[in-house]
Amino acid sequence: MILDPFEYYAPISLDEAFDIASSIGGDFKFLAGGQTLIPMMKMNLIKVSSIIDLKKIRSLYFLEEDKGWIRIGSLVRHAEISESELIKKHLPILSYAAGKIAHQLVRNRGTIGGSISFGHYAADLCVVALLLNAKIEVIRKGSTRYVEADKFFIGPLTTDLRQDEIVKSISFKIPEEKYGWSFNKLVLSHGDFPLLITAVILKKDEDKKESGVITDIKIALGGVADTVVRAKEVEEFLIGKEVTEENVLKASKLASSIYNPSSTLEFSSNYMKRMVEVYLKRSIIQAYNRAQG
Ligand SMILES: Cc1cc2nc3c(=O)[nH]c(=O)nc-3n(C[C@H](O)[C@H](O)[C@H](O)COP(=O)(O)OP(=O)(O)OC[C@H]3O[C@@H](n4cnc5c(N)ncnc54)[C@H](O)[C@@H]3O)c2cc1C
């Protein structure tokens, strides 16, 4: 568990960070909260010759409302996201999910930029970013590009990010209409990495108070494939349907027939498939109930 030696740089501006990156080249990594990178280095799963620590770069640290969007600088920590009144008001699912990551020590250090850049297939904030199709601001020296979350998470621990690019911010559109939401995850014990996440936002027909018809729904899942996924077939099945026991069950079974989560040390793939059904059913009903209230 002892780290191999590496060069350490702590720039105070983005320009300085990019200058260092281009001068050292090779197998460097940017460092944010260190809650993934450092454990992976300790376990010899990632080897680097240099680390460029981003933490002193003030321009990566902001949380603001801007023309109908919430813009979050990449260095904002999970704890700050969960406690932000702005996020609680406009994006309660994001606040809730950030507050459920691991435990307080991890939330005090881990950053949204680190989580999104790493792109783990069951990371809480990757699931929410995909669900809400967040816009990711990616910069390199002299250029900026914006990538929507559904094009950012592209494979097993693989994102659209190049080695010399930095995620500057993640923006979420403030919903203009009322949505119900739900975020559920299966963990072995408190603080563990999720085995499965089901996240739903849903809009119902306002005219039908009792048995509402779903007019819009988005479903994102973590832990069912090699990256986070949108369950588009299930969304299509549910749009225009009433939220009845039968329809919700059919939708959940459809999801569990599509995805084949890997077996874990504790659970078989078949058990995980069954959990997809159970958790998604729960999430659809919770989101529907919130849309009513
Ligand atoms: C005990 C433990 C439990 C955890 N449980 C959970 C959990 O339940 N759910 C969950 O979602 N996560 C969990 N995590 C992971 C945690 O959320 C991490 O904080 C997060 O994944 C990475 O954020 P970080 O700021 O620590 O990034 P780092 O570890 O510093 O970096 C992670 C990767 O992203 C790159 N990177 C970081 N910032 C940027 C940037 N701005 N631009 C470009 N590249 C960048 C780094 O080069 C590195 O490859 C857990 C971690 C630990 C240690």
Side-chain angles (χ1 to χ4, degrees):
M1 288 294 218
I2 294 173
L3 289 173
D4 286 341
F6 56 86
E7 297 295 324
Y8 174 81
Y9 302 89
I12 56 167
S13 71
L14 284 167
D15 277 347
E16 193 189 344
F18 289 126
D19 286 344
I20 294 168
S22 65
S23 70
I24 57 177
D27 57 346
F28 69 86
K29 283 260 180 213
F30 294 114
L31 176 75
Q35 295 302 288
T36 294
L37 184 57
I38 302 300
M40 302 265 306
M41 286 170 65
K42 283 185 176 170
M43 289 186 279
N44 266 327
L45 295 171
I46 293 181
K47 280 189 180 293
V48 293
S49 53
S50 310
I51 284 215
I52 305 174
D53 192 343
L54 302 175
K55 277 197 288 296
K56 290 188 180 160
I57 303 178
R58 296 296 302 166
S59 59
L60 295 177
Y61 188 81
F62 55 87
L63 202 169
E64 62 192 15
E65 186 176 346
D66 181 27
K67 299 185 189 102
W69 291 74
I70 304 284
R71 237 181 120 225
I72 306 175
S74 66
L75 281 186
V76 175
R77 298 181 170 92
H78 306 327
E80 293 163 320
I81 291 174
S82 80
E83 286 154 22
S84 155
E85 291 304 324
L86 191 63
I87 295 180
K88 276 185 198 165
K89 179 176 169 200
H90 294 297
L91 302 163
I93 188 169
L94 176 61
S95 163
Y96 179 85
K100 294 286 171 195
I101 293 175
H103 40 74
Q104 194 69 42
L105 280 176
V106 173
R107 295 196 292 274
N108 284 346
R109 287 182 166 271
T111 66
I112 184 167
S115 201
I116 298 292
S117 303
F118 193 63
H120 192 278
Y121 60 90
D124 300 64
L125 297 189
C126 295
V127 171
V128 177
L130 183 66
L131 181 78
L132 304 178
N133 205 15
K135 194 168 64 180
I136 298 153
E137 183 183 7
V138 175
I139 51 169
R140 65 206 295 229
K141 189 139 184 138
S143 73
T144 300
R145 63 192 180 103
Y146 294 89
V147 187
E148 292 186 344
D150 62 0
K151 294 180 192 70
F152 189 76
F153 304 111
I154 52 184
L157 300 186
T158 310
T159 66
D160 182 50
L161 207 56
R162 291 189 287 257
Q163 190 204 8
D164 61 345
E165 289 182 317
I166 292 176
V167 169
K168 182 171 185 192
S169 71
I170 297 97
S171 296
F172 296 85
K173 193 160 177 34
I174 297 173
E176 283 160 15
E177 294 168 294
K178 190 175 164 213
Y179 275 84
W181 62 272
S182 172
F183 182 92
N184 284 298
K185 60 181 179 177
L186 171 64
V187 290
L188 213 51
S189 60
H190 176 72
D192 281 354
F193 218 94
L195 297 173
L196 170 71
I197 298 179
T198 56
V200 174
I201 53 171
L202 171 160
K203 188 169 171 287
K204 68 178 275 288
D205 186 345
E206 285 298 318
D207 297 335
K208 301 197 175 169
K209 288 281 178 225
E210 292 308 314
S211 55
V213 169
I214 295 177
T215 54
D216 193 15
I217 183 165
K218 294 193 173 50
I219 301 172
L221 306 172
V224 301
D226 59 13
T227 184
V228 290
V229 294
R230 273 274 300 281
K232 292 202 174 169
E233 297 91 337
V234 187
E235 295 172 3
E236 278 162 23
F237 170 81
L238 280 168
I239 288 176
K241 296 226 166 49
E242 283 195 27
V243 178
T244 59
E245 180 77 28
E246 189 192 348
N247 283 337
V248 175
L249 192 62
K250 275 188 187 162
S252 312
K253 281 189 185 295
L254 175 61
S256 105
S257 73
I258 294 170
Y259 299 105
N260 293 300
S262 310
S263 48
T264 67
L265 284 177
E266 302 80 13
F267 301 126
S268 68
S269 178
N270 272 347
Y271 179 83
M272 292 302 294
K273 271 171 99 66
R274 172 86 178 108
M275 288 302 104
V276 171
E277 189 182 318
V278 170
Y279 275 69
L280 184 56
K281 186 175 166 203
R282 188 176 301 165
S283 279
I284 296 168
I285 292 169
Q286 276 176 356
Y288 175 74
N289 288 339
R290 280 203 176 100
Q292 301 254 70

